[in-house]
Amino acid sequence: MTHHVLGLRCTICGAEYRVGEVDYVCPRHGHDGILDVLYDYARIRREVAPERLTTSPDRSIWRYLPLMPVDADLARSLAEGTVLGSVGWTPLFPAPRLAARLGLKHLWVKDDSRQPTASFKDRASAVAVVKARERGAEVVTTASTGNAAAALAGLCAAVGQRNVIFVPRTAPQAKVAQLLAFGATVLLVDGTYDQAFDLCLEAAEAFGWYNRNTAYNPYMSEGKKTAAYEICEQLALATGAASSFRAPDVILIPVGDGCIIGGIHKGLRDLAALNWIDRMPRLIGVQAAGSSPLVDAWERGLEGWEMQMVEAHSVADSIVAGLPRDRIKALRAVRETGGAYVRVSDEEILAAIPALAQGCGVFAEPAAAAAYAGLVRAVERGLVGPEERVVVLATGSGLKDVASVMKATGQPLTVAPDLQDVRRALAQR
Ligand SMILES: *Cc1c(COP(=O)(O)O)cnc(C)c1O
Ligand SMILES: [Zn+2]
């Protein structure tokens, strides 16, 4: 079965290319010329009823194969019986206690900490692994702050694919441990993520490796968009909608490079183009105050190509990006949906980890907790109304960065091994 891709369009100049005509970016715009994947929506509408997708027994991203840019037979055969087949279809949990605390009525948390390698990045890496096999690539490579790398290494291991990973020296240990355990060739770059990214592009070109890099490989958004399908499908189920898909009013998304928010926007645009949802949710991008170039650009009305590299730092390592690679798609996602960008401090991010964990049982790494911290801010600022249906995207597990979590939680009580001391400790609490 072939896929329904029409071609690729440059997000800067609008030039269109046939599949196979260009590999990654618009040749006129070099590394910045990230492409958008175009689909034959008319044909999909004729051939695919929404119920056919939503009644699929496949509880993974592959239930949406007719809307994905991969060879469906190849994807199915790789996914069959492997970890690759368990990417996606993460739960959408109602969070009534958190909602009540914020004065909201309808709040859900989409829990992507439960992906096979414990972050949202599995959605994109899954597509990368299939694309690499379509090309017959011997080696796949990526640069990453950690999670994209762990996702690529883990899913490559699932199907026996060689891979080379570039991560900044500062990546949290758990993420590096995943890479090593999965057998990736790991290069710790003595520099920033931005430097690791440029080095990886150079190496991929020099050695002919298949390149998974975010906002360079146009197909990564196509993996990430599956979360939007799932949210709308699960919300329809949760609210007893007559339709197969129902859009929420607002989605809060943590933003570093901007590929996730761009991907969610793409998924929603697909559903809208197919007339499977009747309105576009507002997308609220959340950045750490120490790494908030997209908030700045949004406030100042700048376009993605006018942005300059800034120095960036935050406890939320997965959303630290001095020049967000997918800035064009990330700004469009917010502007075209009437959403907003908000910044949250590292203190707010750390406080959000136990708040989310205790409020609904979802254990998030700092970057993921930032989305909840952003919701708190957004409610304060009146960006989200009390009656609205709100979804917070939890993008990665707290187990990814235990050291940061402990900064927020403090230390446990210590007792001698006798009941008297337990009484003393409990009384002091
Ligand atoms: C990568 C990542 C993000 C941000 O995604 P971008 O596409 O870089 O904006 C947020 N949270 C987690 C846990 C991530 O790994
Ligand atoms: Zn172009």
Side-chain angles (χ1 to χ4, degrees):
M1 189 175 116
T2 59
H3 48 68
H4 296 113
V5 174
L6 281 179
L8 302 156
R9 182 191 291 138
C10 175
T11 53
I12 299 178
C13 68
E16 293 189 7
Y17 302 94
R18 290 185 312 279
V19 176
E21 192 178 351
V22 291
D23 280 331
Y24 301 108
V25 286
C26 174
R28 291 190 219 165
H29 291 97
H31 293 175
D32 292 336
I34 172 85
L35 303 170
D36 194 17
V37 181
L38 307 175
Y39 289 82
D40 188 345
Y41 292 118
R43 195 174 134 211
I44 296 172
R45 272 177 69 82
R46 278 198 309 275
E47 294 178 2
V48 185
E51 308 80 52
R52 191 180 116 201
L53 299 182
T54 57
T55 56
S56 165
D58 186 340
R59 295 163 72 82
S60 77
I61 57 172
W62 308 116
R63 72 200 270 106
Y64 304 114
L65 268 174
L67 302 173
M68 293 175 74
V70 293
D71 179 316
D73 293 331
L74 178 64
R76 269 195 215 97
S77 76
L78 287 170
E80 175 68 33
T82 70
V83 173
L84 191 65
S86 68
V87 174
W89 200 251
T90 56
L92 182 72
F93 293 122
R97 279 179 289 139
L98 287 175
R101 184 187 305 172
L102 297 173
L104 301 177
K105 293 224 175 73
H106 314 283
L107 176 62
W108 287 266
V109 175
K110 175 72 170 163
D111 185 12
D112 261 48
S113 73
R114 287 159 189 266
Q115 294 281 9
T117 76
S119 90
F120 189 99
K121 298 294 197 296
D122 284 338
R123 296 180 184 276
S125 290
V127 170
V129 167
V130 178
K131 293 307 278 184
R133 279 296 162 92
E134 281 180 16
R135 303 281 194 89
E138 273 177 37
V139 174
V140 191
T141 190
T142 196
S144 161
T145 57
N147 282 337
L152 186 64
L155 298 176
C156 281
V159 301
Q161 168 70 50
R162 277 179 59 207
N163 59 104
V164 179
I165 304 291
F166 296 77
V167 277
R169 199 171 36 81
T170 51
Q173 212 175 9
K175 299 178 184 180
V176 178
Q178 281 182 296
L179 298 176
L180 296 169
F182 286 132
T185 302
V186 183
L187 299 170
L188 277 193
V189 180
D190 195 7
T192 62
Y193 164 60
D194 297 293
Q195 291 171 314
F197 190 102
D198 289 334
L199 186 58
C200 178
L201 289 191
E202 251 182 88
E205 247 167 59
F207 304 125
W209 298 337
Y210 187 72
N211 196 328
R212 178 236 180 264
N213 276 319
T214 287
Y216 185 77
N217 185 320
Y219 299 111
M220 297 305 93
S221 306
E222 303 301 305
K224 292 179 179 185
K225 75 181 184 181
T226 56
Y229 301 162
E230 290 176 22
I231 288 170
C232 294
E233 188 182 340
Q234 291 168 324
L235 199 70
L237 278 174
T239 59
S243 53
S244 298
F245 295 90
R246 168 179 268 176
D249 296 302
V250 184
I251 308 177
L252 288 108
I253 302 160
V255 179
D257 274 325
C259 188
I260 294 182
I261 197 166
I264 297 283
H265 185 216
K266 176 61 179 289
L268 295 167
R269 283 191 288 133
D270 284 348
L271 295 178
L274 291 163
N275 265 326
W276 293 354
I277 54 173
D278 53 13
R279 71 200 142 132
M280 200 41 109
R282 306 196 306 285
L283 300 184
I284 299 185
V286 184
Q287 292 212 287
S291 177
S292 53
L294 285 165
V295 192
D296 294 338
W298 181 72
E299 286 171 348
R300 294 165 56 201
L302 294 184
E303 293 296 340
W305 51 85
E306 298 172 305
M307 291 172 64
Q308 302 290 327
M309 171 83 72
V310 296
E311 222 191 293
H313 53 83
S314 165
V315 66
D317 64 291
S318 299
I319 51 172
V320 174
L323 183 61
R325 300 284 162 174
D326 233 344
R327 52 198 179 276
I328 295 172
K329 289 184 185 174
L331 286 169
R332 281 185 190 161
V334 163
R335 286 188 179 133
E336 289 178 10
T337 64
Y341 268 108
V342 298
R343 25 172 112 64
V344 289
S345 68
D346 277 8
E347 292 70 37
E348 292 170 283
I349 289 172
L350 288 176
I353 296 173
L356 192 60
Q358 291 160 37
C360 71
V362 171
F363 186 30
E365 70 164 87
Y372 178 70
L375 174 62
V376 176
R377 269 291 174 96
V379 169
E380 274 168 20
R381 285 172 45 186
L383 295 171
V384 174
E387 303 291 332
E388 294 193 297
R389 292 199 174 95
V390 182
V391 173
V392 168
L393 192 59
T395 45
S397 165
L399 293 175
K400 292 276 195 172
D401 185 3
V402 173
S404 293
V405 174
M406 294 297 282
K407 284 185 202 155
T409 57
Q411 295 299 317
L413 303 169
T414 305
V415 293
D418 76 72
L419 192 59
Q420 262 322 101
D421 209 37
V422 172
R423 288 210 169 87
R424 175 199 60 79
L426 291 177
Q428 268 184 5
R429 199 168 38 145

